[in-house]
């Protein structure tokens, strides 16, 4: 995870105050740098003015004794002016003659007469300015002594600048404290404001997460912002969306139940027709047995008709029970269960004089990862739709098998009808099958699509719009070795 991704995962209520504090730190650094730079310039300018005043006062008094090279009088001048210019904070003053050697100094023991000028003074500027050593807390200055435009000596002096450094430190501490307090205040204010601004979004996000986990619920009026605005409009929009979703789900369930009842009605009608026909033959056989039961040939023939008729009725009822019994959702798919669809759809196929071409894989296979009732229902819907599309004397074909090394169960249904329309095909293949189902005006194919989606499968449609249609269900098996069992 990159740094940007980690920062993006930090809550906005934390990021906003941190960004405000960081911005305040940057601004305070810039302001502090400008204030200290300006203070530095002002201190140097002030110190330079004071030093020039000090040198001006000494120059007029020192020129006569320096001309005469009078050591004692020069020292006396330095001694007397030291008390006058105490506010300047001079540390040491040295007067040199024409030869550059020391003529007198404020501290003769440290700088003896006629000695060489100390090194710290030798590097001083000769233009009357001041050179500051901030680390040593000392400033150095030099002023040439001129008489009739000729240099007769120079005054070298060092000054204590500790008070300037203390002032700078005090200003710096004040800036740091002020900026820290401002950063803390703005960060706290930013946190409070961010919490208040994000609170509606947090409420909306909580409701959206609850909706994703289950049935969405509307936002209560007491959770709305106290004042109107964009968030209030957003909350109203969310509530409208939840209500619309509830109505859509209710309508979907109602339409699905109606479609299911309609399908059951058609099947019940076909089953009644299929059962009613052999019942007539059974009743005739019973009547024949009553009249001619003593005849062995008649009795055997009648019993054979009774047995075949009862077996046919049993197969139809067993297939219906296997498909629609209440505990069907817990059953795994046995490929033999798909034969129930053949029996259930048989009366509809026969009533239209259609042919059913049924080709399946061995029926002793059980697929534990696929729900049997769901797959049977989807196949039954497709076969009934194919029979409707094929029309009288048409044909319907069903193929089942494994592909991709046995990891995918394939169920294909085709018919000889004029082809599936693009709107109906969209129900099986589009990204939004519900909208396509509403446009197509039916729920049968939508129920097939939903059943296939529930097991993670895919639907392919070939042909349509004037040509023979083939609908293929590709149902993946999560683990081929575990999902498929063979009956002993």
């Amino acid at each position: 995870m990159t740094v940007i991704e980690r920062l993006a995962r930090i809550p906005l209520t934390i990021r906003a105050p941190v960004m405000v504090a960081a911005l305040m730190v940057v601004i305070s650094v810039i302001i502090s740098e400008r204030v200290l730079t300006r203070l530095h310039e002002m201190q140097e300018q002030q110190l330079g003015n004071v030093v020039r005043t000090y040198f001006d006062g000494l120059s007029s008094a020192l020129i006569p004794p320096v001309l005469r090279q009078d050591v004692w009088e020069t020292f006396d001048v330095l001694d007397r002016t030291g008390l006058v210019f105490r506010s300047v904070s001079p540390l040491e003053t040295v007067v040199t003659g024409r030869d550059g050697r020391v003529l007198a100094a404020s501290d003769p023991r440290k700088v003896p007469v006629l000695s060489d000028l100390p090194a710290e003074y030798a590097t001083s500027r000769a233009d009357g300015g001041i050179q500051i050593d901030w680390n040593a807390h000392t400033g150095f200055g030099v002023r040439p002594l001129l008489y009739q435009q000729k240099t007769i000596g120079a005054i070298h002096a060092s000054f204590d600048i500790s008070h300037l450094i203390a002032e700078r430190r005090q200003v710096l501490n004040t800036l740091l404290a002020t900026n820290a307090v401002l950063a803390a205040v703005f960060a706290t204010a930013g946190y409070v404001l961010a919490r208040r601004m994000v609170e509606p979004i947090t409420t909306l996000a909580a409701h959206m997460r609850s909706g994703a986990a289950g049935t969405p619920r509307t936002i209560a009026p007491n959770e709305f912002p106290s004042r109107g605005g964009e968030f209030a409009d957003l909350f109203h929009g969310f509530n409208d969306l939840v209500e619309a979703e509830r109505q859509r789900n209710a309508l979907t369930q109602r339409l699905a139940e109606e479609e299911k009842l309609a399908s059951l009605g058609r099947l019940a009608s076909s089953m009644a027709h299929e059962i009613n026909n052999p019942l007539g033959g059974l009743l005739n056989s019973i009547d024949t047995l009553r009249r001619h039961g003593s005849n062995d040939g008649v009795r055997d023939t009648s019993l054979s008709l009774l047995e075949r008729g009862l077996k046919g009725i049993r197969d139809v009822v067993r297939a219906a029970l296997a498909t629609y019994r209440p505990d069907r959702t817990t059953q795994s798919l046995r490929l033999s269960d798909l034969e129930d669809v053949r029996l259930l759809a048989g009366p509809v196929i026969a009533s239209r004089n259609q042919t059913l071409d049924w080709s399946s894989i061995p029926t002793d296979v059980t697929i534990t990862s696929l729900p049997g009732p769901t797959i049977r229902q989807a196949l039954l819907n497709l076969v009934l739709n194919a029979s409707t599309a094929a029309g009288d004397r048409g044909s319907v074909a069903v193929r089942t098998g494994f592909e991709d090394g046995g990891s995918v169960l394939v169920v294909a249904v085709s018919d000889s009808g004029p082809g599936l329309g693009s709107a109906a095909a969209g129900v099986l293949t589009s990204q939004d099958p519900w909208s396509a189902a509403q446009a197509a005006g039916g729920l049968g194919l939508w129920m097939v699509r939903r059943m296939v989606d529930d097991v993670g499968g895919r639907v392919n449609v070939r042909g349509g719009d004037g040509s023979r249609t083939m609908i293929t269900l590709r149902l993946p098996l999560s683990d081929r070795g575990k999902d498929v069992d063979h009956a002993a």
Side-chain angles (χ1 to χ4, degrees):
M1 184 181 298
T2 63
V3 177
I4 296 178
E5 292 176 344
R6 292 179 179 176
L7 293 177
R9 299 185 64 179
I10 299 176
L12 183 61
T13 54
I14 302 298
R15 278 186 290 164
V18 170
M19 292 175 63
V20 171
L23 181 60
M24 286 300 303
V25 169
V26 173
I27 294 175
S28 63
V29 168
I30 296 175
I31 294 176
S32 299
E33 189 275 335
R34 296 309 307 160
V35 169
L36 292 177
T37 300
R38 182 57 181 165
L39 178 62
H40 177 79
E41 295 174 354
M42 292 178 62
Q43 286 180 334
E44 285 191 344
Q45 183 179 2
Q46 180 182 4
L47 184 59
N49 293 334
V50 173
V51 169
R52 281 192 292 271
T53 302
Y54 177 70
F55 283 149
D56 290 341
L58 279 181
S59 298
S60 58
L62 286 176
I63 288 177
V66 172
L67 280 173
R68 296 192 301 269
Q69 296 292 304
D70 189 337
V71 175
W72 292 106
E73 188 176 356
T74 302
F75 177 77
D76 182 63
V77 172
L78 294 178
D79 187 49
R80 284 185 289 106
T81 55
L83 299 175
V84 177
F85 292 98
R86 183 173 298 175
S87 60
V88 183
S89 302
L91 295 175
E92 189 176 46
T93 304
V94 179
V95 180
T96 57
R98 294 186 181 92
D99 56 0
R101 300 177 70 85
V102 176
L103 182 63
S106 58
D107 187 358
R109 288 174 296 183
K110 183 179 179 181
V111 184
V113 177
L114 300 180
S115 62
D116 293 331
L117 185 67
E120 58 267 24
Y121 296 101
T123 57
S124 299
R125 297 166 57 181
D127 56 356
I130 187 170
Q131 182 175 343
I132 298 176
D133 186 352
W134 295 102
N135 295 327
H137 297 189
T138 306
F140 298 94
V142 60
R143 170 67 67 83
L145 293 175
L146 301 176
Y147 180 74
Q148 296 180 355
Q149 305 301 321
K150 292 183 180 180
T151 301
I152 61 174
I155 305 173
H156 302 268
S158 60
F159 305 90
D160 183 13
I161 60 171
S162 299
H163 61 290
L164 299 180
I165 295 178
E167 183 181 4
R168 292 185 62 185
R169 185 178 297 110
Q170 184 179 3
V171 171
L172 178 60
N173 292 337
T174 303
L175 287 173
L176 291 177
T178 303
N179 292 331
V181 171
L182 289 177
V185 170
F186 280 108
T188 304
Y191 176 76
V192 174
L193 292 176
R195 282 291 299 270
R196 293 190 61 182
M197 294 175 62
V198 173
E199 186 175 0
I201 299 179
T202 304
T203 301
L204 181 61
H207 281 269
M208 294 181 69
R209 284 193 297 268
S210 65
T215 302
R217 58 185 180 88
T218 57
I219 302 174
N222 60 350
E223 295 182 286
F224 273 63
S226 57
R227 293 179 295 178
E230 293 83 356
F231 287 118
D233 295 339
L234 186 62
F235 280 21
H236 284 295
F238 177 80
N239 285 349
D240 294 340
L241 179 63
V242 171
E243 289 297 334
E245 180 65 18
R246 288 178 179 176
Q247 294 177 6
R248 188 182 75 88
N249 289 337
L251 177 62
T252 301
Q253 293 177 1
R254 185 168 68 252
L255 291 178
E257 289 297 326
E258 292 177 356
E259 179 71 16
K260 184 176 180 180
L261 291 175
S263 298
L264 289 176
R266 291 194 298 270
L267 285 174
S269 177
S270 300
M271 289 177 62
H273 181 270
E274 184 69 13
I275 293 174
N276 188 54
N277 288 336
L279 281 178
L282 293 176
L283 293 174
N284 289 333
S285 298
I286 293 174
D287 185 64
T288 302
L289 286 173
R290 284 176 180 174
R291 296 180 179 182
H292 308 284
S294 58
N295 189 314
D296 293 338
V298 173
R299 185 176 59 253
D300 292 340
T301 301
S302 298
L303 290 175
S304 177
L305 289 174
L306 284 172
E307 182 180 10
R308 288 198 303 273
L310 290 174
K311 284 184 178 180
I313 294 173
R314 182 198 63 186
D315 291 339
V316 173
V317 173
R318 181 183 295 172
L321 287 175
T323 302
Y324 296 107
R325 63 189 172 205
D327 61 342
R328 63 187 183 273
T329 57
T330 61
Q331 297 178 355
S332 300
L333 174 64
R334 287 182 58 86
L335 295 186
S336 59
D337 296 340
L338 299 182
E339 296 292 331
D340 298 341
V341 177
R342 186 176 184 179
L343 292 174
L344 290 171
V348 177
I349 298 293
S351 66
R352 294 170 175 163
N353 295 322
Q354 296 173 340
T355 59
L356 177 61
D357 183 7
W358 193 281
S359 175
S360 62
I361 53 181
T363 59
D364 60 344
V365 176
T366 299
I367 303 175
T368 59
S369 66
L370 295 178
T374 299
I375 305 304
R376 283 197 301 268
Q377 182 64 40
L379 179 58
L380 180 59
N381 285 357
L382 290 179
V383 172
L384 292 177
N385 286 341
S387 175
T388 302
D392 294 340
R393 302 183 183 279
S395 63
V396 178
V398 178
R399 300 284 186 273
T400 59
F402 289 111
E403 290 184 1
D404 297 340
S407 62
V408 177
L409 174 64
V410 179
V411 179
V413 179
S414 60
D415 62 77
S416 60
L420 192 65
S422 57
V427 179
L428 297 172
T429 59
S430 67
Q431 296 293 330
D432 188 3
W434 172 246
S435 298
Q438 290 178 317
L443 287 178
L445 294 178
W446 175 78
M447 293 177 65
V448 173
R449 170 65 182 275
R450 189 181 65 176
M451 293 174 186
V452 174
D453 288 343
D454 288 342
V455 298
R458 291 188 299 108
V459 182
N460 295 329
V461 179
R462 292 177 57 187
D465 287 334
S467 61
R468 185 183 182 94
T469 301
M470 175 179 289
I471 300 175
T472 304
L473 309 183
R474 299 180 58 84
L475 310 174
L477 311 182
S478 59
D479 189 334
R480 179 77 172 104
K482 296 179 181 179
D483 290 340
V484 179
D485 298 325
H486 295 275

